[in-house]
Short mmCIF file of all heavy atoms in Angstrom, two decimals:
data_model
loop_
_atom_site.label_atom_id
_atom_site.label_comp_id
_atom_site.label_asym_id
_atom_site.label_seq_id
_atom_site.Cartn_x
_atom_site.Cartn_y
_atom_site.Cartn_z
N MET A 22 -20.07 5.88 13.32
CA MET A 22 -18.80 5.89 12.60
C MET A 22 -17.63 5.63 13.55
O MET A 22 -17.78 5.64 14.76
CB MET A 22 -18.59 7.23 11.87
CG MET A 22 -19.63 7.46 10.79
SD MET A 22 -19.66 6.13 9.56
CE MET A 22 -21.07 6.63 8.59
N ASN A 23 -16.51 5.46 12.98
CA ASN A 23 -15.33 5.17 13.79
C ASN A 23 -14.58 6.45 14.11
O ASN A 23 -13.83 6.98 13.32
CB ASN A 23 -14.43 4.22 13.02
CG ASN A 23 -13.31 3.70 13.88
OD1 ASN A 23 -13.35 3.81 15.10
ND2 ASN A 23 -12.31 3.13 13.25
N GLU A 24 -14.80 6.96 15.30
CA GLU A 24 -14.16 8.21 15.68
C GLU A 24 -12.75 7.99 16.18
O GLU A 24 -12.48 7.04 16.91
CB GLU A 24 -14.99 8.91 16.76
CG GLU A 24 -16.36 9.31 16.24
CD GLU A 24 -17.12 10.05 17.34
OE1 GLU A 24 -16.90 11.24 17.49
OE2 GLU A 24 -17.91 9.41 18.04
N MET A 25 -11.89 8.89 15.82
CA MET A 25 -10.51 8.80 16.29
C MET A 25 -10.43 9.43 17.68
O MET A 25 -11.30 10.18 18.09
CB MET A 25 -9.57 9.53 15.34
CG MET A 25 -9.68 9.02 13.91
SD MET A 25 -9.31 7.24 13.75
CE MET A 25 -7.54 7.31 14.00
N SER A 26 -9.36 9.14 18.37
CA SER A 26 -9.23 9.64 19.72
C SER A 26 -8.92 11.13 19.75
O SER A 26 -9.22 11.82 20.71
CB SER A 26 -8.12 8.87 20.46
OG SER A 26 -6.92 9.01 19.75
N ASP A 27 -8.36 11.62 18.66
CA ASP A 27 -8.01 13.03 18.60
C ASP A 27 -9.12 13.81 17.90
O ASP A 27 -9.33 13.66 16.71
CB ASP A 27 -6.70 13.20 17.84
CG ASP A 27 -6.26 14.66 17.86
OD1 ASP A 27 -6.98 15.51 18.38
OD2 ASP A 27 -5.17 14.95 17.33
N PRO A 28 -9.86 14.62 18.64
CA PRO A 28 -10.99 15.35 18.06
C PRO A 28 -10.57 16.53 17.20
O PRO A 28 -11.37 17.09 16.48
CB PRO A 28 -11.77 15.83 19.29
CG PRO A 28 -10.73 15.98 20.34
CD PRO A 28 -9.70 14.89 20.06
N HIS A 29 -9.30 16.90 17.30
CA HIS A 29 -8.85 18.09 16.58
C HIS A 29 -8.46 17.79 15.14
O HIS A 29 -8.46 18.65 14.29
CB HIS A 29 -7.65 18.72 17.29
CG HIS A 29 -7.99 19.16 18.68
ND1 HIS A 29 -8.84 20.21 18.94
CD2 HIS A 29 -7.62 18.68 19.87
CE1 HIS A 29 -8.96 20.35 20.25
NE2 HIS A 29 -8.24 19.43 20.84
N LYS A 30 -8.13 16.58 14.89
CA LYS A 30 -7.68 16.25 13.54
C LYS A 30 -8.12 14.84 13.17
O LYS A 30 -7.71 13.87 13.78
CB LYS A 30 -6.16 16.36 13.45
CG LYS A 30 -5.64 16.14 12.03
CD LYS A 30 -4.14 16.37 11.99
CE LYS A 30 -3.62 16.22 10.57
NZ LYS A 30 -2.17 16.44 10.49
N PHE A 31 -8.96 14.77 12.19
CA PHE A 31 -9.43 13.46 11.75
C PHE A 31 -8.45 12.87 10.76
O PHE A 31 -8.17 13.46 9.72
CB PHE A 31 -10.81 13.60 11.12
CG PHE A 31 -11.32 12.30 10.57
CD1 PHE A 31 -11.75 11.31 11.44
CD2 PHE A 31 -11.33 12.08 9.22
CE1 PHE A 31 -12.21 10.11 10.93
CE2 PHE A 31 -11.80 10.87 8.71
CZ PHE A 31 -12.23 9.89 9.57
N ILE A 32 -7.93 11.74 11.10
CA ILE A 32 -6.99 11.08 10.22
C ILE A 32 -7.65 9.88 9.56
O ILE A 32 -8.08 8.96 10.23
CB ILE A 32 -5.75 10.60 11.01
CG1 ILE A 32 -5.11 11.78 11.70
CG2 ILE A 32 -4.77 9.92 10.06
CD1 ILE A 32 -3.93 11.38 12.56
N ARG A 33 -7.71 9.93 8.26
CA ARG A 33 -8.32 8.83 7.54
C ARG A 33 -7.39 7.62 7.55
O ARG A 33 -6.18 7.78 7.40
CB ARG A 33 -8.56 9.22 6.09
CG ARG A 33 -9.54 10.36 5.95
CD ARG A 33 -9.83 10.59 4.49
NE ARG A 33 -10.73 11.72 4.30
CZ ARG A 33 -11.31 12.01 3.14
NH1 ARG A 33 -11.07 11.25 2.09
NH2 ARG A 33 -12.10 13.03 3.03
N PRO A 34 -7.97 6.47 7.66
CA PRO A 34 -7.15 5.27 7.58
C PRO A 34 -6.71 5.03 6.15
O PRO A 34 -7.45 5.32 5.21
CB PRO A 34 -8.09 4.16 8.06
CG PRO A 34 -9.46 4.66 7.77
CD PRO A 34 -9.38 6.16 7.94
N CYS A 35 -5.52 4.55 6.00
CA CYS A 35 -5.01 4.21 4.69
C CYS A 35 -5.90 3.15 4.04
O CYS A 35 -6.21 2.14 4.67
CB CYS A 35 -3.59 3.67 4.85
SG CYS A 35 -2.89 3.04 3.33
N PRO A 36 -6.36 3.41 2.82
CA PRO A 36 -7.25 2.45 2.15
C PRO A 36 -6.57 1.13 1.82
O PRO A 36 -7.23 0.15 1.50
CB PRO A 36 -7.66 3.18 0.87
CG PRO A 36 -6.61 4.19 0.64
CD PRO A 36 -6.09 4.58 1.99
N ILE A 37 -5.27 1.14 1.90
CA ILE A 37 -4.53 -0.08 1.58
C ILE A 37 -4.33 -0.94 2.82
O ILE A 37 -4.62 -2.12 2.82
CB ILE A 37 -3.16 0.26 0.98
CG1 ILE A 37 -3.33 1.11 -0.27
CG2 ILE A 37 -2.38 -1.02 0.68
CD1 ILE A 37 -4.09 0.41 -1.37
N CYS A 38 -3.81 -0.33 3.87
CA CYS A 38 -3.46 -1.16 5.03
C CYS A 38 -4.15 -0.70 6.31
O CYS A 38 -3.93 -1.26 7.37
CB CYS A 38 -1.95 -1.14 5.22
SG CYS A 38 -1.31 0.46 5.71
N ARG A 39 -4.98 0.34 6.20
CA ARG A 39 -5.79 0.80 7.34
C ARG A 39 -5.01 1.52 8.42
O ARG A 39 -5.54 1.81 9.48
CB ARG A 39 -6.54 -0.38 7.99
CG ARG A 39 -7.29 -1.23 7.00
CD ARG A 39 -8.42 -0.47 6.35
NE ARG A 39 -9.16 -1.34 5.42
CZ ARG A 39 -10.24 -0.97 4.75
NH1 ARG A 39 -10.70 0.24 4.90
NH2 ARG A 39 -10.83 -1.79 3.93
N LYS A 40 -3.76 1.80 8.14
CA LYS A 40 -3.00 2.58 9.11
C LYS A 40 -3.35 4.06 8.93
O LYS A 40 -3.82 4.47 7.88
CB LYS A 40 -1.51 2.38 8.88
CG LYS A 40 -1.04 0.98 9.21
CD LYS A 40 0.45 0.88 8.94
CE LYS A 40 0.93 -0.55 9.25
NZ LYS A 40 2.37 -0.70 8.96
N PRO A 41 -3.12 4.86 9.96
CA PRO A 41 -3.39 6.30 9.83
C PRO A 41 -2.58 6.91 8.70
O PRO A 41 -1.38 6.67 8.59
CB PRO A 41 -2.94 6.87 11.18
CG PRO A 41 -3.04 5.72 12.12
CD PRO A 41 -2.69 4.50 11.30
N ALA A 42 -3.24 7.66 7.86
CA ALA A 42 -2.56 8.27 6.73
C ALA A 42 -1.70 9.45 7.18
O ALA A 42 -1.91 10.02 8.24
CB ALA A 42 -3.59 8.75 5.70
N VAL A 43 -0.73 9.77 6.36
CA VAL A 43 0.11 10.93 6.63
C VAL A 43 -0.12 11.97 5.53
O VAL A 43 -0.44 11.62 4.40
CB VAL A 43 1.59 10.55 6.68
CG1 VAL A 43 1.85 9.59 7.83
CG2 VAL A 43 2.03 9.94 5.37
N GLU A 44 0.04 13.23 5.88
CA GLU A 44 -0.27 14.29 4.94
C GLU A 44 0.53 14.17 3.64
O GLU A 44 0.04 14.45 2.56
CB GLU A 44 0.02 15.64 5.58
CG GLU A 44 -0.96 15.94 6.71
CD GLU A 44 -0.74 17.35 7.25
OE1 GLU A 44 -0.05 18.14 6.56
OE2 GLU A 44 -1.22 17.64 8.34
N ARG A 45 1.76 13.76 3.79
CA ARG A 45 2.64 13.71 2.62
C ARG A 45 2.13 12.75 1.55
O ARG A 45 2.30 12.98 0.37
CB ARG A 45 4.04 13.30 3.07
CG ARG A 45 5.04 13.27 1.91
CD ARG A 45 6.43 13.01 2.43
NE ARG A 45 7.39 13.00 1.34
CZ ARG A 45 8.70 12.84 1.52
NH1 ARG A 45 9.18 12.70 2.74
NH2 ARG A 45 9.52 12.83 0.50
N TYR A 46 1.50 11.68 2.01
CA TYR A 46 1.08 10.66 1.06
C TYR A 46 -0.43 10.48 1.05
O TYR A 46 -0.94 9.44 0.65
CB TYR A 46 1.75 9.33 1.39
CG TYR A 46 3.24 9.39 1.29
CD1 TYR A 46 4.04 9.25 2.42
CD2 TYR A 46 3.86 9.59 0.06
CE1 TYR A 46 5.41 9.30 2.33
CE2 TYR A 46 5.23 9.65 -0.05
CZ TYR A 46 6.00 9.50 1.09
OH TYR A 46 7.35 9.55 0.99
N MET A 47 -1.14 11.49 1.52
CA MET A 47 -2.60 11.41 1.53
C MET A 47 -3.16 10.85 0.23
O MET A 47 -2.74 11.25 -0.84
CB MET A 47 -3.21 12.80 1.78
CG MET A 47 -3.18 13.20 3.23
SD MET A 47 -4.33 12.19 4.19
CE MET A 47 -4.08 12.96 5.81
N PRO A 48 -4.15 9.99 0.31
CA PRO A 48 -4.77 9.50 1.55
C PRO A 48 -4.11 8.25 2.10
O PRO A 48 -4.72 7.50 2.84
CB PRO A 48 -6.20 9.20 1.09
CG PRO A 48 -6.01 8.68 -0.31
CD PRO A 48 -4.81 9.44 -0.87
N PHE A 49 -2.86 8.06 1.72
CA PHE A 49 -2.19 6.82 2.12
C PHE A 49 -1.23 7.08 3.28
O PHE A 49 -0.94 8.21 3.62
CB PHE A 49 -1.43 6.23 0.93
CG PHE A 49 -2.30 6.05 -0.27
CD1 PHE A 49 -2.25 6.96 -1.31
CD2 PHE A 49 -3.19 5.00 -0.34
CE1 PHE A 49 -3.07 6.82 -2.41
CE2 PHE A 49 -4.02 4.85 -1.44
CZ PHE A 49 -3.96 5.75 -2.48
N CYS A 50 -0.72 6.00 3.83
CA CYS A 50 0.15 6.12 4.98
C CYS A 50 1.61 6.18 4.56
O CYS A 50 2.48 6.54 5.34
CB CYS A 50 -0.07 4.94 5.93
SG CYS A 50 0.58 3.40 5.28
N SER A 51 1.86 5.82 3.33
CA SER A 51 3.25 5.77 2.87
C SER A 51 3.30 5.73 1.35
O SER A 51 2.29 5.49 0.68
CB SER A 51 3.94 4.53 3.43
OG SER A 51 3.31 3.36 2.92
N LYS A 52 4.48 5.97 0.82
CA LYS A 52 4.63 5.91 -0.63
C LYS A 52 4.37 4.50 -1.13
O LYS A 52 3.87 4.30 -2.23
CB LYS A 52 6.05 6.34 -1.02
CG LYS A 52 6.23 6.46 -2.52
CD LYS A 52 7.64 6.92 -2.86
CE LYS A 52 7.75 7.19 -4.36
NZ LYS A 52 7.46 5.99 -5.15
N ARG A 53 4.73 3.55 -0.31
CA ARG A 53 4.53 2.17 -0.70
C ARG A 53 3.06 1.88 -0.96
O ARG A 53 2.69 1.26 -1.96
CB ARG A 53 5.06 1.25 0.40
CG ARG A 53 4.88 -0.23 0.09
CD ARG A 53 5.53 -1.07 1.16
NE ARG A 53 5.28 -2.48 0.94
CZ ARG A 53 4.21 -3.14 1.36
NH1 ARG A 53 3.29 -2.50 2.06
NH2 ARG A 53 4.06 -4.41 1.12
N CYS A 54 2.22 2.34 -0.06
CA CYS A 54 0.80 2.11 -0.23
C CYS A 54 0.25 2.91 -1.41
O CYS A 54 -0.63 2.43 -2.12
CB CYS A 54 0.06 2.47 1.06
SG CYS A 54 0.24 1.21 2.34
N SER A 55 0.79 4.10 -1.60
CA SER A 55 0.37 4.90 -2.73
C SER A 55 0.70 4.18 -4.04
O SER A 55 -0.11 4.11 -4.96
CB SER A 55 1.08 6.25 -2.69
OG SER A 55 0.67 7.05 -3.79
N ASP A 56 1.88 3.63 -4.08
CA ASP A 56 2.29 2.88 -5.27
C ASP A 56 1.45 1.62 -5.44
O ASP A 56 1.09 1.24 -6.55
CB ASP A 56 3.76 2.49 -5.16
CG ASP A 56 4.66 3.70 -5.32
OD1 ASP A 56 4.18 4.74 -5.81
OD2 ASP A 56 5.83 3.61 -4.95
N LEU A 57 1.13 1.00 -4.34
CA LEU A 57 0.31 -0.20 -4.40
C LEU A 57 -1.06 0.12 -4.97
O LEU A 57 -1.61 -0.62 -5.78
CB LEU A 57 0.16 -0.80 -3.00
CG LEU A 57 1.35 -1.62 -2.51
CD1 LEU A 57 1.13 -2.03 -1.06
CD2 LEU A 57 1.51 -2.87 -3.37
N ASP A 58 -1.61 1.24 -4.54
CA ASP A 58 -2.92 1.63 -5.01
C ASP A 58 -2.88 1.92 -6.50
O ASP A 58 -3.75 1.50 -7.26
CB ASP A 58 -3.39 2.86 -4.26
CG ASP A 58 -4.82 3.23 -4.65
OD1 ASP A 58 -5.73 2.49 -4.25
OD2 ASP A 58 -5.00 4.22 -5.37
N LEU A 59 -1.85 2.61 -6.93
CA LEU A 59 -1.70 2.93 -8.34
C LEU A 59 -1.57 1.65 -9.15
O LEU A 59 -2.24 1.47 -10.15
CB LEU A 59 -0.46 3.81 -8.53
CG LEU A 59 -0.19 4.21 -10.00
CD1 LEU A 59 -1.35 5.03 -10.54
CD2 LEU A 59 1.10 5.01 -10.08
N GLY A 60 -0.73 0.77 -8.70
CA GLY A 60 -0.53 -0.49 -9.39
C GLY A 60 -1.78 -1.33 -9.41
O GLY A 60 -2.04 -2.06 -10.36
N ARG A 61 -2.54 -1.18 -8.33
CA ARG A 61 -3.78 -1.94 -8.24
C ARG A 61 -4.71 -1.59 -9.38
O ARG A 61 -5.27 -2.45 -10.04
CB ARG A 61 -4.44 -1.61 -6.90
CG ARG A 61 -5.68 -2.43 -6.62
CD ARG A 61 -6.27 -2.03 -5.30
NE ARG A 61 -6.92 -0.73 -5.38
CZ ARG A 61 -7.31 -0.01 -4.34
NH1 ARG A 61 -7.07 -0.47 -3.14
NH2 ARG A 61 -7.88 1.14 -4.47
N TRP A 62 -4.85 -0.29 -9.60
CA TRP A 62 -5.75 0.15 -10.66
C TRP A 62 -5.16 -0.16 -12.03
O TRP A 62 -5.87 -0.54 -12.96
CB TRP A 62 -6.02 1.65 -10.52
CG TRP A 62 -6.86 1.94 -9.32
CD1 TRP A 62 -6.48 2.57 -8.18
CD2 TRP A 62 -8.23 1.59 -9.13
NE1 TRP A 62 -7.53 2.63 -7.30
CE2 TRP A 62 -8.61 2.04 -7.86
CE3 TRP A 62 -9.17 0.93 -9.92
CZ2 TRP A 62 -9.89 1.85 -7.36
CZ3 TRP A 62 -10.45 0.75 -9.41
CH2 TRP A 62 -10.80 1.20 -8.15
N LEU A 63 -3.90 0.02 -12.18
CA LEU A 63 -3.27 -0.25 -13.46
C LEU A 63 -3.38 -1.73 -13.81
O LEU A 63 -3.48 -2.11 -14.95
CB LEU A 63 -1.80 0.16 -13.42
CG LEU A 63 -1.56 1.66 -13.37
CD1 LEU A 63 -0.06 1.93 -13.25
CD2 LEU A 63 -2.11 2.35 -14.61
N ASP A 64 -3.38 -2.52 -12.80
CA ASP A 64 -3.43 -3.96 -13.01
C ASP A 64 -4.87 -4.47 -13.10
O ASP A 64 -5.12 -5.61 -13.43
CB ASP A 64 -2.70 -4.66 -11.86
CG ASP A 64 -2.07 -5.95 -12.33
OD1 ASP A 64 -1.83 -6.09 -13.55
OD2 ASP A 64 -1.82 -6.82 -11.49
N GLY A 65 -5.81 -3.60 -12.77
CA GLY A 65 -7.21 -3.95 -12.93
C GLY A 65 -7.72 -4.92 -11.88
O GLY A 65 -8.67 -5.64 -12.09
N ARG A 66 -7.08 -4.89 -10.74
CA ARG A 66 -7.55 -5.79 -9.69
C ARG A 66 -7.41 -5.13 -8.33
O ARG A 66 -6.66 -4.19 -8.17
CB ARG A 66 -6.79 -7.10 -9.71
CG ARG A 66 -5.28 -6.89 -9.53
CD ARG A 66 -4.56 -8.21 -9.68
NE ARG A 66 -3.12 -8.02 -9.63
CZ ARG A 66 -2.25 -9.02 -9.75
NH1 ARG A 66 -2.68 -10.24 -9.91
NH2 ARG A 66 -0.96 -8.78 -9.71
N TYR A 67 -8.10 -5.65 -7.39
CA TYR A 67 -8.18 -5.00 -6.09
C TYR A 67 -7.33 -5.69 -5.05
O TYR A 67 -7.09 -5.19 -3.98
CB TYR A 67 -9.65 -4.99 -5.64
CG TYR A 67 -9.90 -4.04 -4.51
CD1 TYR A 67 -10.10 -2.69 -4.75
CD2 TYR A 67 -9.95 -4.52 -3.21
CE1 TYR A 67 -10.35 -1.82 -3.71
CE2 TYR A 67 -10.21 -3.66 -2.16
CZ TYR A 67 -10.40 -2.31 -2.42
OH TYR A 67 -10.65 -1.46 -1.40
N VAL A 68 -6.85 -6.85 -5.35
CA VAL A 68 -6.12 -7.62 -4.36
C VAL A 68 -4.68 -7.14 -4.23
O VAL A 68 -4.12 -6.56 -5.14
CB VAL A 68 -6.10 -9.12 -4.71
CG1 VAL A 68 -7.52 -9.68 -4.71
CG2 VAL A 68 -5.45 -9.32 -6.06
N ILE A 69 -4.13 -7.34 -3.09
CA ILE A 69 -2.74 -6.99 -2.86
C ILE A 69 -1.92 -8.27 -2.72
O ILE A 69 -2.22 -9.13 -1.90
CB ILE A 69 -2.59 -6.16 -1.58
CG1 ILE A 69 -3.47 -4.90 -1.68
CG2 ILE A 69 -1.13 -5.77 -1.36
CD1 ILE A 69 -3.51 -4.13 -0.40
N GLU A 70 -0.92 -8.35 -3.53
CA GLU A 70 -0.10 -9.55 -3.46
C GLU A 70 0.80 -9.52 -2.24
O GLU A 70 1.43 -8.51 -1.94
CB GLU A 70 0.75 -9.66 -4.72
CG GLU A 70 -0.09 -9.96 -5.96
CD GLU A 70 0.82 -10.25 -7.14
OE1 GLU A 70 1.78 -11.00 -6.97
OE2 GLU A 70 0.57 -9.69 -8.21
N THR A 71 0.83 -10.61 -1.57
CA THR A 71 1.70 -10.69 -0.40
C THR A 71 2.59 -11.92 -0.52
O THR A 71 2.18 -12.95 -1.03
CB THR A 71 0.87 -10.78 0.89
OG1 THR A 71 0.05 -11.93 0.81
CG2 THR A 71 0.02 -9.54 1.09
N GLU A 72 3.76 -11.78 -0.03
CA GLU A 72 4.67 -12.91 -0.08
C GLU A 72 4.47 -13.83 1.11
O GLU A 72 4.95 -14.95 1.14
CB GLU A 72 6.12 -12.40 -0.11
CG GLU A 72 6.41 -11.61 -1.40
CD GLU A 72 7.84 -11.15 -1.44
OE1 GLU A 72 8.57 -11.44 -0.48
OE2 GLU A 72 8.22 -10.50 -2.41
N ASP A 73 3.76 -13.29 2.07
CA ASP A 73 3.47 -14.11 3.23
C ASP A 73 2.36 -15.10 2.92
O ASP A 73 1.62 -14.95 1.96
CB ASP A 73 3.03 -13.23 4.41
CG ASP A 73 4.17 -12.33 4.85
OD1 ASP A 73 5.33 -12.76 4.69
OD2 ASP A 73 3.90 -11.23 5.32
N SER A 74 2.20 -16.08 3.72
CA SER A 74 1.15 -17.05 3.52
C SER A 74 -0.21 -16.41 3.70
O SER A 74 -0.38 -15.58 4.59
CB SER A 74 1.31 -18.20 4.50
OG SER A 74 1.24 -17.73 5.83
N PRO A 75 -1.16 -16.73 2.86
CA PRO A 75 -2.50 -16.15 2.99
C PRO A 75 -3.14 -16.53 4.32
O PRO A 75 -2.97 -17.65 4.80
CB PRO A 75 -3.27 -16.76 1.81
CG PRO A 75 -2.45 -17.89 1.31
CD PRO A 75 -1.03 -17.66 1.75
N GLY A 76 -3.85 -15.58 4.87
CA GLY A 76 -4.50 -15.84 6.16
C GLY A 76 -3.71 -15.26 7.31
O GLY A 76 -4.21 -15.14 8.42
N ALA A 77 -2.46 -14.88 7.04
CA ALA A 77 -1.62 -14.35 8.10
C ALA A 77 -1.62 -12.83 8.09
O ALA A 77 -0.83 -12.20 8.75
CB ALA A 77 -0.20 -14.85 7.93
N GLU A 78 -2.52 -12.25 7.33
CA GLU A 78 -2.55 -10.82 7.18
C GLU A 78 -3.39 -10.12 8.23
O GLU A 78 -3.48 -8.91 8.29
CB GLU A 78 -3.06 -10.46 5.79
CG GLU A 78 -4.47 -10.98 5.57
CD GLU A 78 -4.94 -10.69 4.14
OE1 GLU A 78 -4.42 -9.76 3.52
OE2 GLU A 78 -5.83 -11.41 3.70
N ASP A 79 -4.06 -10.89 9.05
CA ASP A 79 -4.93 -10.32 10.06
C ASP A 79 -4.14 -9.96 11.30
O ASP A 79 -3.94 -10.76 12.20
CB ASP A 79 -6.03 -11.32 10.39
CG ASP A 79 -7.09 -10.68 11.26
OD1 ASP A 79 -7.11 -9.45 11.34
OD2 ASP A 79 -7.87 -11.42 11.86
N ASP A 80 -3.66 -8.73 11.32
CA ASP A 80 -2.86 -8.30 12.46
C ASP A 80 -3.72 -8.13 13.70
O ASP A 80 -4.83 -7.63 13.63
CB ASP A 80 -2.18 -6.97 12.15
CG ASP A 80 -1.13 -7.14 11.05
OD1 ASP A 80 -0.69 -8.29 10.87
OD2 ASP A 80 -0.81 -6.16 10.41
N GLU A 81 -3.17 -8.50 14.79
CA GLU A 81 -3.88 -8.30 16.05
C GLU A 81 -3.35 -7.06 16.74
O GLU A 81 -2.15 -6.86 16.82
CB GLU A 81 -3.69 -9.51 16.96
CG GLU A 81 -4.33 -10.77 16.38
CD GLU A 81 -4.20 -11.93 17.33
OE1 GLU A 81 -3.90 -11.70 18.51
OE2 GLU A 81 -4.38 -13.05 16.89
N ASN A 82 -4.28 -6.28 17.24
CA ASN A 82 -3.85 -5.06 17.91
C ASN A 82 -3.29 -5.35 19.28
O ASN A 82 -3.76 -6.17 19.96
CB ASN A 82 -5.04 -4.09 18.05
CG ASN A 82 -5.45 -3.60 16.68
OD1 ASN A 82 -4.62 -3.43 15.80
ND2 ASN A 82 -6.74 -3.39 16.49
ZN1 ZN B 1 -0.89 2.09 4.12
#
């Protein structure tokens, strides 16, 4: 599995954008992602609309 560097607290990655989640918006990293997830289900689809050109979503660390 993918272990985090901090052994004291396991932080789940945001299911939307894979960033570390925050307690306030668990299991998401932000209200935006929480809203996106909600809208995703309400809309009956799993894709996230982006205004950027497709293919540019692969962030490099
Ligand atoms: Zn997120």
Side-chain angles (χ1 to χ4, degrees):
M22 295 303 174
N23 189 15
E24 296 182 83
M25 305 301 288
S26 58
D27 185 356
H29 298 291
K30 185 176 183 180
F31 177 73
I32 303 176
R33 297 186 183 191
C35 174
I37 302 298
C38 68
R39 310 294 182 177
K40 292 180 181 178
V43 297
E44 292 185 15
R45 182 174 181 178
Y46 298 113
M47 281 290 182
F49 306 101
C50 72
S51 64
K52 187 178 186 300
R53 179 175 176 274
C54 283
S55 181
D56 288 344
L57 281 174
D58 185 72
L59 180 62
R61 185 181 73 193
W62 290 110
L63 290 177
D64 211 23
R66 59 185 174 180
Y67 195 82
V68 297
I69 303 173
E70 291 188 46
T71 59
E72 295 182 0
D73 295 330
S74 60
E78 60 183 336
D79 190 15
D80 293 338
E81 295 183 16
N82 292 326

